[in-house]
Amino acid sequence: MSYPKTGNEVYVSLNLSNTMLTGIGDGTVTRETVSADYLKRLFSEYGVIVSGKPSQRALLERINDTYGFGWEIPEKLSLFQLSEEHRRLVVIQVQGLARKEGSLLPQYTEEELDEATFTFVKYYVQSVHYDDLVAENKKLRFDLEQEIAWRNRTDS
């Protein structure tokens, strides 16, 4: 499968680090667990950029094959920062594989990969601070309530 090049691609990685977030300044990040089917629709709309160490290639290929994503997996690590254009990051959570000091190992056997399970967490960045979003939501809710009250008034 070939995904579009939109300039707003979704990043996919096996981890999340603070350096990925430095491009957004003050803002809000939301997090939600998503399905593989949801991701296929998301990738079809925005495109996808996969980021992983060369040693993680076999693991990424396994995930790609298992879920039929059709990713192009780069030969070398692509570093990135989330920004206004690239607002979405999908972190693949891996369970059932041995780790060393919390990090995935450089390689696994086929049997080990067969035992692994994967979940997908989408992070979405907004350049508006959470407190400002709450204040805006409160104002919009107040305005809506006023409009509803005006429309439902009874002139007696």
Side-chain angles (χ1 to χ4, degrees), residues 3-16:
Y3 293 112
K5 304 286 186 215
T6 64
N8 296 306
E9 286 82 4
V10 178
Y11 289 118
V12 173
S13 181
L14 289 165
N15 66 346
L16 173 65

Side-chain angles (χ1 to χ4, degrees), residues 27-90:
T28 301
V29 178
T30 57
R31 175 189 185 281
E32 66 178 312
T33 302
V34 295
S35 69
D37 288 336
Y38 171 87
L39 290 178
K40 288 176 189 176
R41 290 190 303 273
L42 193 68
F43 299 154
S44 293
E45 184 173 348
Y46 295 102
V48 62
I49 298 172
V50 178
S51 178
K53 298 174 187 172
S55 63
Q56 297 169 332
R57 184 173 186 84
L59 180 56
L60 289 169
E61 286 174 349
R62 171 57 71 100
I63 296 164
N64 197 18
D65 293 344
T66 299
Y67 295 96
F69 287 130
W71 294 333
E72 294 177 19
I73 301 173
E75 295 295 324
K76 61 180 185 163
L77 176 64
S78 299
L79 299 177
F80 63 86
Q81 288 183 338
L82 296 175
S83 65
E84 281 297 306
E85 293 79 31
H86 294 98
R87 296 171 171 265
R88 295 166 186 85
L89 165 66
V90 173

Side-chain angles (χ1 to χ4, degrees), residues 77-143:
L77 176 64
S78 299
L79 299 177
F80 63 86
Q81 288 183 338
L82 296 175
S83 65
E84 281 297 306
E85 293 79 31
H86 294 98
R87 296 171 171 265
R88 295 166 186 85
L89 165 66
V90 173
V91 175
I92 304 165
Q93 294 182 326
V94 181
Q95 294 85 28
L97 291 178
R99 297 172 185 263
K100 182 176 183 182
E101 297 176 8
S103 296
L104 293 167
L105 302 177
Q107 63 185 35
Y108 295 96
T109 66
E110 286 298 316
E111 293 77 23
E112 288 172 317
L113 289 174
D114 288 342
E115 295 296 317
T117 59
F118 310 100
T119 53
F120 307 100
V121 178
K122 181 185 82 169
Y123 293 85
Y124 182 77
V125 173
Q126 292 176 283
S127 60
V128 181
H129 193 278
Y130 177 78
D131 293 340
D132 296 333
L133 289 172
V134 169
E136 180 181 354
N137 190 31
K138 185 176 180 182
K139 181 187 179 323
L140 289 170
R141 184 173 288 128
F142 175 79
D143 291 347

